[in-house]
Amino acid sequence: MHVDEAIQTRKSVRRFLPTPVDRAMVEHILAVASRAPSGSNIQPWNVHVVAGAAKDRLCQRLLDAVDHGRSDTPEYHYYPQNWFEPYLERRRRCGFGLYETLGIGRGDKAEREAQARRNFHLFDAPVGLFITMDRRLEAGSFMDCGMFIQSVMLAARGQGLHTCPQAAFAWYHTLIRDELKLDENALLLCGIALGHEDPDAPENHFITQREPVSGFASFYG
């Protein structure tokens, strides 16, 4: 797959087929993604791969925590504390568009919560990747990890697979740290669902909009 096609067809898939993804494929994707750049080549990312019984056990613990209202305060702020434009409108457009595609009304709290709950069994994906970095590193390592995460998703597309990056797991870092026996310095950044897209799922036909180049780029000279 040409890199342009991989980038243009990457999307957040929210329903996967049960088709397994073998360990050799996951290792290949991670090996390709490991070529992502990082400051002074420190490669700050760590990946914790769950599948099979390990994935089922973690997901069950997460779902129990969600259902009983037990969550953490995230260890970093993903979103601004006070939204402002144009970012607020873009966020609303994304959320409203997804729920409209699913036929969930804006006032249907129960269905919206049920859809959000699906995050915690990785949207049925057979493989989950949890990305951490050492909390003693600085903001530049967040950028490095972001480039690595994008590389993982593009390498997956190159193999005909799809992904969904999920920041929702940051609200359950204590549980995940315990289940995966992570070091206390491991800062959980996100999870990534990995697998084969369910092409019949309506949510997988929702494609988010992008600003034109003229809307975000300035040219000099």
Side-chain angles (χ1 to χ4, degrees):
M1 184 182 295
H2 191 279
V3 65
D4 286 9
E5 184 181 356
I7 293 171
Q8 291 170 344
T9 61
R10 187 218 60 80
K11 60 184 179 180
S12 293
V13 162
R14 294 181 173 87
R15 190 176 295 274
F16 291 84
L17 296 172
T19 308
V21 177
D22 65 32
R23 177 170 173 168
M25 176 66 75
V26 177
E27 289 181 348
H28 172 80
I29 289 168
L30 295 178
V32 172
S34 73
R35 297 303 306 173
S38 59
S40 298
N41 196 35
I42 68 169
Q43 304 169 69
W45 47 79
N46 285 286
V47 184
H48 312 273
V49 183
V50 296
K55 188 206 76 166
D56 294 342
R57 185 170 56 249
L58 173 59
C59 289
Q60 189 57 60
R61 287 190 65 183
L62 286 164
L63 291 169
D64 288 344
V66 170
D67 292 343
H68 289 88
R70 298 191 302 267
S71 63
D72 299 317
T73 299
E75 297 184 284
Y76 68 94
H77 294 299
Y78 189 94
Y79 293 115
Q81 300 302 289
N82 296 293
W83 284 93
F84 54 96
E85 299 297 352
Y87 312 108
L88 176 60
E89 190 277 331
R90 291 174 186 169
R91 182 181 191 234
R92 285 174 170 167
R93 187 195 312 160
C94 178
F96 292 156
L98 174 61
Y99 290 130
E100 182 178 351
T101 300
L102 287 165
I104 299 174
R106 295 188 184 185
D108 193 339
K109 182 179 179 181
E111 285 298 318
R112 289 165 71 96
E113 289 179 349
Q115 177 61 28
R117 187 179 184 274
R118 286 182 47 72
N119 273 280
F120 302 102
H121 52 85
L122 292 156
F123 299 113
D124 304 320
V127 177
L129 312 175
F130 290 88
I131 313 299
T132 65
M133 62 174 256
D134 194 304
R135 68 179 67 254
R136 294 169 294 184
L137 295 172
E138 294 291 348
S141 291
F142 278 87
M143 291 190 288
D144 296 340
C145 288
M147 290 185 280
F148 172 75
I149 291 165
Q150 172 75 337
S151 296
V152 168
M153 295 189 289
L154 296 184
R157 286 300 300 127
Q159 300 300 316
L161 300 175
H162 273 284
T163 54
C164 186
Q166 298 170 253
F169 293 110
W171 275 261
Y172 297 88
H173 58 86
T174 299
L175 185 158
I176 294 170
R177 183 175 292 105
D178 176 70
E179 181 66 27
L180 301 184
K181 304 299 185 285
L182 303 182
D183 183 271
E184 63 181 10
N185 288 318
L187 175 63
L188 178 65
L189 299 179
C190 70
I192 305 175
L194 171 68
H196 295 268
E197 174 189 15
D198 181 347
D200 297 324
E203 58 265 52
N204 291 338
H205 296 280
F206 172 63
I207 305 298
T208 53
Q209 300 177 18
R210 291 296 188 270
E211 293 296 308
V213 172
S214 60
F216 63 80
S218 300
F219 293 85
Y220 305 87

